[in-house]
Amino acid sequence: MTESGQSESGKALIKDELRRQRIETPSWAYGNSGTRFKVFAQQGVPRDPYEKLADAAQVHRHTGVAPTVALHIPWDKVDDYADLARHASDLGVAIGAVNSNVFQDDDYKLGSVTHPDPAVRKKALGHLLECVDIMDRTGSDTLKLWFSDGTNYPGQDDIRARQDRLAEALAAVYERLGEGQRFLLEYKLFEPAFYMTDLPDWGAAYAHCLKLGPKAQVVVDTGHHAPGTNIEFIVAFLLREGKLGGFDFNSRFYADDDLMVGAADPFQLFRIMYEVIRGGGYTAETAFMLDQCHNIEPKIPGQIRSVMNVQEATAKALLVDRDALAAAQREGDVLGANAALMDAYNTDVRPLLAELREEMGLDPDPMAAYARSGYFEKIAAERVGGAQAGWGA
Ligand code: RM4
Ligand code: MN
């Protein structure tokens, strides 16, 4: 492709792959967010799920590859979900994964589905099942389960009993899934629990999913690991086992920073995308979702930039000369193999993506096109009054 030699037909194939990529944006990225110190309100922020979908539609309009929007319940609770789905479709998008939320209620102080009190566990399970009802009504095929469950102090609760309670709840949700529906189980090392988390890593999530069956898969949130974790290994492993359901993309410098994907470590994102492609995971089965918050930067452009970052990493991963890489690996040519990866990574794929966007009838520069569109000025003027949406609200 590279100006350095990729054939025109090779380039066309890469563009075809990029054209069919789908990246899901999260409804919560459009609302106000912040740290535990301060939420900085922004102008024009949506007041309800309908307005969030309208903002998400702008991201799709300018990138052409972001046609679905993840919901978070109860943040996106509405009276009529079929109506919300229709609204999405009128805007040219659709409802994606339904994210459950059993972490923002006083009852969940000591856990949700792992809580020592059966009444709290019942309430949490009720919410998860309600999320499947919402999937039925919106046509969503994916439920994303993240639990903040864990303990802060040694001895606080019984680690093993909590695993039993977790397994019981997961089995009940699995049972409730309909034809063509699945759940993605998310893990996270720590936070909000600081001593022990009930689903701290991919191994624990994998073991629970394996027991349940094919409708249970693991989702890798790139911000949920210890520093230095080799995430691409996890990706390769899970794909090989048929258990990688998708990604919550974001990037982090320290903890679960939820910054724009590809901002902190674009090389890591490239390595992940390479393993996805290598492992046959570049299909609709593997959900590429963003799970981000834009605390200080404008939100719609933050999402557009993130989508572009995923596209750039994907394009570079598609550029890897797999034959040359395999030959070098066979021959034990360490430097040659490393060079095959690095040549692709160091290629400037922006011209290729600009060309692709023009072929798709889009502006080659989505950031500039959005800025010129006047959408921000319009929402800033229109969305006055009412309560702005936010992840805490
Ligand atoms: C969690 C986790 C979930 C997301 C919430 C907002 O840390 O990443 O996927 O729904 O944050
Ligand atoms: Mn996540």
Side-chain angles (χ1 to χ4, degrees):
M1 130 124 340
T2 67
E3 306 350 312
S4 63
Q6 177 95 22
S7 68
E8 276 306 307
S9 63
K11 188 167 151 181
L13 283 176
I14 290 175
K15 279 200 264 183
D16 283 346
E17 298 289 304
L18 292 167
R19 191 176 285 115
R20 69 184 178 84
Q21 185 167 37
R22 293 290 172 259
I23 300 162
E24 181 162 311
T25 74
S27 71
W28 54 101
Y30 304 102
N32 285 325
S33 61
T35 65
R36 65 200 167 92
F37 299 103
K38 170 76 181 157
V39 172
F40 296 103
Q42 294 190 14
Q43 267 189 303
V45 160
R47 278 100 28 107
D48 59 38
Y50 288 82
E51 291 182 347
K52 292 183 199 173
L53 289 173
D55 289 2
Q58 293 301 308
V59 178
H60 183 47
R61 178 178 159 208
H62 294 292
T63 62
V65 294
T68 59
V69 191
L71 297 185
H72 216 299
I73 308 298
W75 300 339
D76 296 321
K77 224 174 170 122
V78 292
D79 293 334
D80 184 345
Y81 288 97
D83 184 60
L84 188 68
R86 258 193 315 275
H87 176 73
S89 145
D90 290 346
L91 291 162
V93 291
I95 306 291
V98 173
N99 287 250
S100 58
N101 182 328
V102 282
F103 52 88
Q104 282 187 316
D105 192 294
D106 284 339
D107 281 339
Y108 301 140
K109 185 168 82 172
L110 301 179
S112 63
V113 293
T114 66
H115 198 286
D117 179 350
V120 176
R121 298 207 292 275
K122 192 165 168 223
K123 170 173 166 168
L125 177 61
H127 170 76
L128 304 182
L129 299 177
E130 181 199 345
C131 286
V132 186
D133 293 341
I134 293 171
M135 290 165 69
D136 291 342
R137 275 179 266 148
T138 54
S140 162
D141 59 7
T142 302
L143 172 66
K144 179 133 53 72
L145 301 171
W146 177 69
F147 300 101
S148 64
D149 293 45
T151 57
N152 272 5
Y153 295 98
Q156 180 189 318
D157 196 8
D158 188 278
I159 294 176
R160 189 172 165 141
R162 292 175 74 93
Q163 282 299 307
D164 293 341
R165 298 170 199 149
L166 173 64
E168 196 181 311
L170 292 177
V173 179
Y174 192 89
E175 205 42 46
R176 166 66 183 84
L177 292 174
E179 200 60 40
Q181 293 179 335
R182 62 174 177 169
F183 75 57
L184 306 185
L185 188 57
E186 187 167 349
Y187 58 89
K188 182 177 174 181
L189 179 62
F190 83 102
E191 199 203 19
F194 292 119
Y195 161 62
M196 188 277 304
T197 295
D198 292 298
L199 274 171
D201 55 32
W202 68 270
Y206 172 71
H208 280 284
C209 289
L210 193 62
K211 224 172 224 163
L212 290 168
K215 293 177 176 179
Q217 292 179 307
V218 181
V219 54
V220 174
D221 184 312
T222 46
H224 287 190
H225 307 84
T229 300
N230 185 329
I231 300 177
E232 60 271 25
F233 170 82
I234 300 170
V235 169
F237 186 97
L238 290 175
L239 267 175
R240 187 168 173 277
E241 300 298 331
K243 280 293 184 197
L244 180 72
F247 292 93
D248 264 6
F249 278 136
N250 50 54
S251 65
R252 52 77 67 80
F253 287 99
Y254 301 102
D256 186 20
D257 305 350
D258 282 346
L259 299 175
M260 292 187 296
V261 58
D265 192 346
F267 184 41
Q268 179 187 60
L269 183 60
F270 159 78
R271 300 192 311 261
I272 290 171
M273 287 311 305
Y274 173 72
E275 287 305 331
V276 169
I277 292 161
R278 161 71 183 87
Y282 193 69
T283 65
E285 261 275 283
T286 310
F288 300 126
M289 301 173 285
L290 305 180
D291 176 10
Q292 302 181 171
C293 292
H294 304 291
N295 299 350
I296 58 169
E297 67 276 28
K299 295 164 196 303
I300 298 172
Q303 287 290 290
I304 293 175
R305 169 60 71 203
S306 304
V307 168
M308 293 171 71
N309 286 353
V310 175
Q311 288 184 296
E312 285 172 22
T314 308
K316 290 178 183 203
L318 287 165
L319 268 176
V320 172
D321 184 339
R322 304 233 334 242
D323 293 337
L325 178 61
Q329 289 172 343
R330 256 191 327 268
E331 287 154 21
D333 178 0
V334 175
L335 294 178
N338 180 239
L341 275 189
M342 296 313 293
D343 282 347
Y345 177 66
N346 286 320
T347 305
D348 184 359
V349 293
R350 291 172 300 180
L352 172 83
L353 282 160
E355 220 176 281
L356 170 67
R357 291 186 186 110
E358 280 185 322
E359 286 172 19
M360 290 168 73
L362 301 168
D363 192 290
D365 183 347
M367 294 292 284
Y370 172 75
R372 270 197 319 269
S373 72
Y375 185 80
F376 175 70
E377 291 72 12
K378 179 172 162 286
I379 56 176
E382 279 173 13
R383 294 178 184 169
V384 284
Q388 291 190 315
W391 55 263

